[in-house]
Amino acid sequence: MGYNLLKGKRGIIFGALDENSIAWKTAQSVHDEGGTFVLTNAPIAMRMGQIDELAKKTGSQIIPADATSVEDLDNLIAKSVEILGGKIDFVLHSIGMSVNVRKGRAYTDENYDFTAKGWDVSALSFHKVLQSLYKADAMNEWGSVVALTYMAAQRTFPDYNDMADNKAYLESIARSFGYFFGKEKKVRVNTISQSPTATTAGQGVKGFDGFISYAEKMSPLGNATAQDCADYTVTLFSDLTRKVTMQNLFHDGGFSNTGVSQEVIEKF
Ligand code: NAI
């Protein structure tokens, strides 16, 4: 169901790999709400994923960009403004990857080249996206930029590994860049801290099935799904949240404020 919340708005959506991706659901919801956008992903993901199908469904163009490359980002932003016919109103950063996790390296046995690569992809890329938008003056006033994060930035989840540190850095960028983007261009910058979600990135975390079931039992409203996250993101792109900025917004069915639930107690 659409409310035309994003009618006339233009954006860029990073990170739709397949139909499970949070960015995929978000693209569909934004489309349903009347928004138009360019889809982007890393060149390698173009070959692995099914982004063409999403582009067709939503009438969007695809521009490949490695989010760690400032050159790629500058090109993406310039071309998006051209294709969409004006400045940008919304951007979704839905990008995450840890090489240590992928290669099965424990947090206490990090390979620092892997750590640096994962940090560049998962955290610094957010600064790069914001800085490229800022320098190109590519955002409209009252525009909105959202990145996705996880609560391991605040509390320890051992198997989340170095992604916890990457998410802490990402959330800090939203506050720090949000100040400048707000002050000078009236653009808001937020992170959504999402429940565990069954996607390619999510399932890469060791013990993910236990993780997601535990969160489900701990959350009074149950886990937020990828579609729930898409809906929430639409509100943050809309004009109904114009004074929300520099926030890390928990979107987790109440998990983050629950000490323990009856269901979990009963397991003991
Ligand atoms: P996903 O695997 O569908 O999406 C991750 C995306 O990052 C992929 O499309 C991938 O191609 C892209 N990517 C990787 N390296 C890139 C690069 N160098 N340049 C551009 N794009 C690159 O998984 P999901 O879960 O939809 O992930 C989206 C975001 O949500 C990530 O930031 C993730 O950490 C976050 N998140 C996921 C949760 C989960 O349990 N799935 C929970 C909380 C946050």
Side-chain angles (χ1 to χ4, degrees):
M1 186 174 57
Y3 303 91
N4 270 335
L5 282 176
L6 303 179
K7 195 167 174 222
K9 293 197 187 293
R10 312 176 184 99
I12 301 175
I13 297 183
F14 287 84
L17 181 65
D18 56 36
E19 62 180 5
N20 298 318
S21 300
I22 298 170
W24 185 289
K25 309 271 191 227
T26 307
Q28 284 183 322
S29 295
V30 167
H31 176 66
D32 291 346
E33 291 297 337
T36 54
F37 46 83
V38 162
L39 292 166
T40 182
N41 210 324
I44 182 158
M46 302 284 164
R47 295 196 287 278
M48 293 160 45
Q50 303 129 34
I51 198 170
D52 286 340
E53 186 191 322
L54 180 65
K56 244 185 237 144
K57 270 196 208 161
T58 58
S60 310
Q61 291 200 39
I62 305 168
I63 302 176
D66 176 345
T68 65
S69 158
V70 172
E71 196 188 332
D72 280 11
L73 292 171
D74 287 345
N75 173 59
L76 165 70
I77 290 163
K79 287 216 173 114
S80 298
V81 169
E82 206 179 291
I83 289 168
L84 298 168
K87 286 199 202 181
I88 306 297
D89 300 293
F90 61 86
V91 176
L92 176 67
H93 176 288
S94 184
I95 300 170
M97 191 275 299
S98 157
V99 191
N100 283 307
V101 168
R102 279 206 181 165
K103 306 254 185 203
R105 300 288 293 240
Y107 187 74
T108 48
D109 182 34
E110 285 189 14
N111 169 315
Y112 294 120
D113 291 334
F114 295 172
T115 308
K117 178 70 190 159
W119 165 76
D120 196 11
V121 171
S122 308
L124 192 63
S125 67
F126 190 38
H127 192 284
K128 291 178 178 174
V129 168
L130 288 162
Q131 186 166 291
S132 289
L133 289 164
Y134 183 88
K135 285 192 172 169
D137 195 19
M139 293 294 293
N140 274 323
E141 281 197 356
W142 303 111
S144 172
V145 185
V146 169
L148 299 179
T149 185
Y150 182 58
M151 210 186 60
Q154 287 77 35
R155 299 191 196 170
T156 298
F157 292 81
D159 289 332
Y160 206 67
N161 212 310
D162 59 339
M163 277 304 283
D165 304 331
N166 293 335
K167 291 305 193 191
Y169 195 97
L170 178 91
E171 291 173 19
S172 178
I173 291 170
R175 285 185 293 272
S176 303
F177 221 113
Y179 174 84
F180 295 101
F181 235 148
K183 198 101 185 137
E184 287 160 41
K185 315 223 186 236
K186 294 197 172 64
V187 169
R188 55 207 197 270
V189 185
N190 294 290
T191 50
I192 295 178
S193 186
Q194 163 70 7
S195 292
T197 314
T199 61
T200 305
Q203 279 160 336
V205 178
K206 203 169 120 206
F208 182 78
D209 291 346
F211 210 52
I212 197 167
S213 310
Y214 171 72
E216 174 72 22
K217 295 269 177 276
M218 278 285 285
S219 313
L221 297 179
N223 286 332
T225 64
Q227 184 55 53
D228 292 328
C229 190
D231 293 343
Y232 189 35
T233 304
V234 164
T235 69
L236 289 174
F237 288 164
S238 82
D239 289 333
L240 300 177
T241 51
R242 298 214 306 188
K243 292 292 171 75
V244 180
T245 194
M246 302 159 71
Q247 302 297 317
N248 179 44
L249 303 158
F250 289 102
H251 180 252
D252 62 2
F255 179 87
S256 48
N257 270 344
T258 303
V260 75
S261 67
Q262 198 57 40
E263 287 94 324
V264 170
I265 286 188
E266 279 162 13
K267 290 248 177 236
F268 294 89

